[in-house]
Each structure stands twice: as C-alpha cells, then as structure tokens.
Amino acid sequence: MDADAQTPPGDTAGAAAIAARFARILGEQHVLTPATGDLTPYGRGRGFTPATAPALVLRPGTARELADALGLATETGTTVVARGGGYSVGGYAYPPGDPVAVIDTRRLDRVIGIDRENLTVTAEAGILNGDLTAAVAEAGLRVQTVAVPVRHTTLGGSLSGVVGAGVPARSSVTGGNVQDVAGLLVALPTGALLRTGAGGANVHATTDAFPGLGGPNLTGLFLGDGGVLGIKAEATMCLEPLPPAAGGSAWAFPGEDAAWGALTELMGLVDLPYVSLGVSPRPEWTMLARTEADSPDALTRKLAAIEAVVARWGGILGADEYRAEAIAMGEPGGAWAEVFLEQRREIVAFVSPRTGYRTLFRDLVAYAGARAAELGLADLVSLHPYYAPHGRHAIYTTLSLVADAEPGERAGSLVQLMHDCVRFLTTRGAATEFHQGATSQLAAEGWSDDYRRVIGALRRAFDPAGILNPGVWERHPT
C-alpha cells in the first residue's frame, strides 16, 4: 500500500568495505545489503508514507553488539536509523546520505528475568510487547506496554516513539508508561553502554528499583526521545498482579454532549470504577468501560457506580459486540485490537489537557473534514474519532483518517492530510504522537528557540558525530 520506494545510490566499494567491518561485529548473515535482497521493507512504516530503501541493515543480537555497531557507525560517519517492529504510522524521518544503515533490534528479544519479589521484569528492547505481556502473564502478573498494537510493536519502539513512552490499556487511570520504567540499558553512539537506573548510579547495586534513585533521573531522557540520544538495549519495567475479577460494558448516548458529560463525571469520582474508558461514534456516541477488582462483589459495585453515572446522562446498554470489546480491553495479548490494524488509514493521535479540550476536538474534526475536501479526498476518507481519559487531568485522542477504498494515486494527499492535522494540533499546543517519523518533525516546528538549543546540546553530548536518527525532531522539510 506504500508508494514506490526511493532507490538509494548503488553499493560502492566504500559501502562494501563498511559492510564488511560491520560483519566482523555482527556476523555476515546479520548485515544485509542490496546484494542480499530487497531492503525496502526496512524503510517502510504502516501508513502510506513512501518507503526509502536503506543501504545497510544491521541486526545485532546482544547489547554489546549493538553498542559496538554504533561505535563503528560513529567512526565511519555512517548515518543510523533505529527500527523496532516497523509499525510507525508517521513514516520514517529518513535522512539523506549514503550509506544509511537501519539497525533492526528484533533479535534482541529475550526476557532476561522476572523478579517476583520486587515486581519487575527486565527484557531486551527488541521483544514484541505481546510476547513480553504473555511471558509476564504466565507468572500471574502484568506489565504496562501499549494497548495497540501490542502484538506487533517492540518494547523499545513504544518507549521511544509514542507520547508518554507508550499508551497502555490502563492509560485511562495511569496515563503513559513513564512512571513504570525502573531503568534502561542504552547503547550510545560512542560505543558505550549506559545503565540509567540504580545499577548505573551505584556500582554496588545490581538491580533497578525506581527511576531517579541514586542520582538524576537519566531514564527520563530516553523516554519518548525518538531514539536520538541512544538505542535501548534493555528495559526494566514495574509489574503488578493480574486482577482476579474483570468485566465491563458499553453504553450508547443520545449525543456527544451526554457521552462527554458521563466521561468527565466518572473521571472526577474519588474511587475510579474503571481501568479503561473511551468514547467514539459507532454511529451512536458509545462509551466502553473495563472494570477490574479483587473480588466479584467489588466488581459488581464498581459496575453499579458506572451505571449510576451513565443513567444520569441518558445512556443505555450498547450492542453486545461493543460490550464484549469493552471486557476484552486490557486482556493479555490484545487480540481485540487486531481489527484496528486492518483499516486502510493514516492516524492522528495526541494528548491535551481537559481544559479547552472539547473546542480543540471539534475544531480538529471540522478542520480535517474541510482539508480533506480541499485535497480532493471527501469521497474517499471517513473520520473516525476516539477519545479517552489519560489519567485525571488529560485526554488522549485518535482521529483515524480511514480510506474507504484503496487510495491509489491519492495516497500522497492522504499523507498530506495527516501532516496538516498534526501541524494544526501542534499550533494549538497539543502533544502529538510522533512514532519517530515525519510527525516528530512537525511537532518540532512548535519548539521554542531555548528548547531547541537545549535539545541540540543534548544530542551533541550523546552523539557528537550526529549519526543517530538525525531526521527525528528536525523541522519538517517543505
């Protein structure tokens, strides 16, 4: 569904020599060149942004190999783009240059250990979030990664390229994943390995207990960073017990005003009776809620609390299929979310404060509809909005720009529509999901000069040669 790939320059003798040096670190079978096959899939995300074939693909199998490969990239001036599961919906912020090497982290896929006493898990950053979730669930525990698409994205990718270091299934209560990362092992462009948590701050500590213990919270520098300071090799994540009782339901409302009223009243309760809560038109405005508790009686009380609020706003029980979906939200494995991936679409996702949200939401939908008409997409694109609490004080929103047929030659216009919507949100102060790609560049257009100077200084400190993901957080080319 992507447009034709841009073809890089041919494999020169210099590029071949560099590939041979990487092969001495990783093994020949883990250094791919155009001579070994089509590399275009490594320059493609999930949307309609055109792919760009890299000149090299590097597939490290250990943290040490990853760091050594980055060190060699710095020595040889080889531009590096990090890739996890390849599910970026914003395209890649692919920089010019030859050779460009993609570092594919998928061989870093081991669960290193589950600490049942401390309730943490340490895993390599290339593991699929679904595999990590399943491994932890076997121990009767759960880990916060991402709600969608949990089966296809990597741990490092979600920590790097999603707003708040990932939006988990319980984000309606917890917000993002920032507070659930106890520590990281990061490969730096210098070839060093940095442990950010307690084990790094104190050479006598062997495990990470909590971010910011023993020194400044370096872990936070690498969350939501787009991979511009280093590439994550391992992450230590906090765990919690799986709930013994879970349920949920769906309710249809007479309009968006009523759905919003019920949503915000529920957000204000002292004891939140939900763990997942979201609203979308189906076509009636419908609210889905998942509830968890330590006993069936407690679960019944929580559902009753939701029902009482819903009734005040005129809600009635929704269709059985939506009720089943509500119950499935947050189940280990995330099979309920697969349908989300089957749509032909671009997506606009963001977090914003509750204050002024409804005006922003309505303005975005109106802008997207008008801009689609201007781009000649009115007969092709349907707008599918969804919003949910992100903790108590913010709202997480997705606006799917769904193509009702194959867009063909209009794929570029669909990408443009997504870009225009991201730029619209940035100018209104929202925090957009950037997924490492072009949307990071659009978000960076709104940075202040002081903020840009600080980020630039950080990049130079960690990556003096400027080889790592240089297109991320740069201004979007126009």
Side-chain angles (χ1 to χ4, degrees):
M1 65 181 179
D2 293 276
D4 290 339
Q6 303 168 22
T7 303
D11 188 17
T12 64
I18 292 174
R21 295 186 65 184
F22 280 115
R24 287 195 286 273
I25 297 172
L26 307 176
E28 290 186 7
Q29 69 273 35
H30 299 304
V31 177
L32 310 182
T33 71
T36 62
D38 180 19
L39 303 186
T40 301
Y42 290 93
R44 171 182 292 134
R46 282 289 294 181
F48 292 100
T49 301
T52 307
L56 292 171
V57 174
L58 310 176
R59 305 179 63 244
T62 67
R64 185 68 264 164
E65 287 183 358
L66 172 60
D68 288 347
L70 282 176
L72 179 57
T74 295
E75 178 187 338
T76 57
T78 302
T79 300
V80 169
V81 172
R83 178 183 173 88
Y87 266 69
S88 166
V89 297
Y92 283 88
Y94 211 91
D98 180 31
V100 171
V102 164
I103 288 191
D104 174 13
T105 63
R106 285 288 293 113
R107 290 182 64 221
L108 299 168
D109 62 355
R110 296 182 305 128
V111 175
I112 296 171
I114 297 174
D115 188 331
R116 295 170 184 265
E117 183 175 2
N118 287 319
L119 288 181
T120 60
V121 58
T122 300
E124 293 180 325
I127 191 171
L128 293 178
N129 285 309
D131 292 343
L132 176 60
T133 298
V136 168
E138 289 182 4
L141 301 167
R142 69 176 170 192
V143 59
Q144 292 217 131
T145 56
V146 290
V148 180
V150 67
R151 293 184 173 190
H152 307 280
T153 56
T154 61
L155 176 61
S158 58
L159 294 178
S160 300
V162 185
V163 62
V167 180
R170 298 177 68 250
S171 63
S172 293
V173 174
T174 63
N177 284 334
V178 171
Q179 70 277 8
D180 286 287
V181 185
L184 299 168
L185 180 66
V186 182
L188 302 180
T190 59
L193 282 168
L194 171 68
R195 193 171 295 279
T196 66
N202 180 349
V203 296
H204 304 289
T206 58
T207 60
D208 294 314
F210 202 83
L213 296 180
N217 183 12
L218 291 185
T219 299
L221 284 178
F222 297 95
L223 298 179
D225 66 324
V228 298
L229 304 179
I231 299 180
K232 295 162 190 64
E234 297 174 9
T236 299
M237 306 291 293
C238 300
L239 302 176
E240 61 185 16
L242 281 169
S249 196
W251 298 269
F253 290 86
E256 194 264 338
D257 285 344
W260 172 260
L263 184 92
T264 51
E265 183 175 341
L266 287 168
M267 290 174 68
L269 297 179
V270 173
D271 295 318
L272 297 178
Y274 57 83
V275 292
S276 298
L277 189 67
V279 168
S280 61
R282 298 179 173 233
E284 299 91 356
W285 281 91
T286 301
M287 183 170 72
L288 276 62
R290 175 181 166 91
T291 299
E292 298 172 352
D294 59 6
S295 70
D297 288 345
L299 183 69
T300 298
R301 289 192 295 271
K302 288 185 176 184
L303 288 171
I306 297 175
E307 289 277 9
V309 172
V310 166
R312 282 195 288 275
W313 291 95
I316 61 173
L317 281 176
D320 287 344
E321 62 181 300
Y322 302 146
R323 296 168 67 185
E325 182 180 330
I327 294 171
M329 290 192 303
E331 294 287 351
W336 65 275
E338 294 298 296
V339 65
F340 182 80
L341 302 176
E342 296 169 3
Q343 296 176 325
R344 297 179 296 258
R345 57 162 176 79
E346 294 291 333
I347 190 170
V348 180
F350 65 98
V351 175
S352 62
R354 282 176 57 178
T355 303
Y357 170 76
R358 293 191 74 202
T359 298
L360 174 63
F361 171 73
R362 291 170 173 174
D363 288 350
L364 171 65
V365 173
Y367 172 80
R371 187 68 181 123
E374 293 171 358
L375 292 170
L377 299 173
D379 65 323
L380 176 69
V381 173
S382 300
L383 306 180
H384 294 200
Y386 168 87
Y387 57 76
H390 199 69
R392 290 185 184 268
H393 64 284
I395 305 293
Y396 174 79
T397 306
T398 61
L399 181 64
S400 292
L401 311 173
V402 178
D404 299 322
E406 286 295 336
E409 295 180 353
R410 290 189 284 178
S413 295
L414 183 54
V415 172
Q416 183 63 53
L417 175 61
M418 181 267 288
H419 286 184
D420 291 343
C421 288
V422 172
R423 185 176 278 114
F424 172 89
L425 288 165
T426 298
T427 60
R428 296 286 291 266
T432 55
E433 275 190 17
F434 54 90
H435 291 257
Q436 191 191 48
T439 44
S440 75
Q441 300 170 329
L442 297 168
E445 291 179 357
W447 286 359
S448 69
D449 290 341
D450 286 340
Y451 191 83
R452 188 176 299 281
R453 280 192 289 270
V454 169
I455 298 301
L458 281 171
R459 294 184 76 151
R460 289 189 295 274
F462 283 92
D463 180 16
I467 58 101
L468 183 56
N469 292 311
V472 176
W473 298 124
E474 294 299 319
R475 289 184 176 90
H476 190 262
T478 54

